[in-house]
Amino acid sequence: MARTRLVELVGPAGAGKSTLAAVLPAADPRLRTGPSVWGLPRFDQICAAISLLPVATAAALSGHPFRGAELAQMMRLVALRRVLARTASGDIRVILLDEGPVFGLAWLEVFFESNGARFRNGWRRRARAEWAGRLDGVVRLDADDPALARRIRTRTKPHMVKHLPDGEISSFIARFRDAYDLVIGDMAAAGMTVQALPSSDGAFGEDAARVRDAIERAAHGN
């Protein structure tokens, strides 16, 4: 039996990741939506927290301690590895992630700059390298800022920038794009496959077909 591949959909808010991650597996039984960094089992988070104690202690002693929310996100990324390690594959060809490790690592860059701290930079580099060896590929979705702002405002899903002016939404999107450039660039250099696609306002079925093809290429390193 061929091994199950792991592919993450990434991109700024409004790019269509969550919709595609929900719809594509419903249309193709060989795809399954996997866990995200949010809402992981408490036991796995506790084990992750214990594993992070040495680096958290060392960072604190160095004078550059991790912030609470930063450490919580690091904990989620470690817990996610534990959960995926025991995810049953069966007949599933691809597990599709939305807000998975690439998102989680980019989130750290957006909300917690490294500021040159040795332990912070070191942990993030190691995490990117470890995930590059675990993920088979990434499909990166994007659209122009006006389209993303329009989608953020009109969807029912809440978002922290939903009611902000266009300029502030664009600034927020730009920070995430820069963070994705850093994280994906490092992971691609370590061998992970990246497929980039525009996300249109056209027929959803056409977008879904293009993304499905990109998932296949990303999963098999093409």
Side-chain angles (χ1 to χ4, degrees), residues 50-170:
I50 293 170
S51 74
L52 287 169
L53 279 175
V55 70
T57 301
L61 292 174
S62 76
H64 297 279
F66 296 111
R67 303 283 295 275
E70 178 186 19
L71 194 56
Q73 187 74 331
M74 293 164 62
M75 179 183 69
R76 293 183 194 106
L77 285 160
V78 175
L80 181 59
R81 283 206 307 270
R82 290 175 51 88
V83 172
L84 287 171
R86 63 173 186 267
T87 299
S89 58
D91 295 327
I92 303 300
R93 185 179 69 249
V94 176
I95 293 177
L96 193 58
L97 301 178
D98 169 34
E99 296 192 340
V102 176
F103 165 81
L105 290 163
W107 188 95
L108 285 172
E109 299 297 331
V110 169
F111 294 106
F112 295 94
E113 295 182 6
S114 60
N115 296 323
R118 180 165 60 93
F119 290 101
R120 181 173 280 105
N121 285 333
W123 188 88
R124 293 184 190 183
R125 283 194 300 269
R126 289 192 300 275
R128 291 195 289 266
E130 288 168 359
W131 278 110
R134 180 69 182 90
L135 277 177
D136 292 286
V138 161
V139 176
R140 186 172 182 176
L141 303 171
D142 209 339
D144 60 45
D145 288 2
L148 294 174
R150 182 171 61 254
R151 295 174 196 174
I152 290 169
R153 288 199 177 100
T154 56
R155 67 186 184 181
T156 57
K157 183 179 179 181
H159 195 281
M160 62 188 299
V161 301
K162 188 170 187 175
H163 302 294
L164 296 181
D166 284 358
E168 293 186 44
I169 293 178
S170 292

Side-chain angles (χ1 to χ4, degrees), residues 40-53:
L40 295 166
R42 186 177 299 275
F43 177 75
D44 292 291
Q45 295 191 57
I46 292 171
C47 291
I50 293 170
S51 74
L52 287 169
L53 279 175

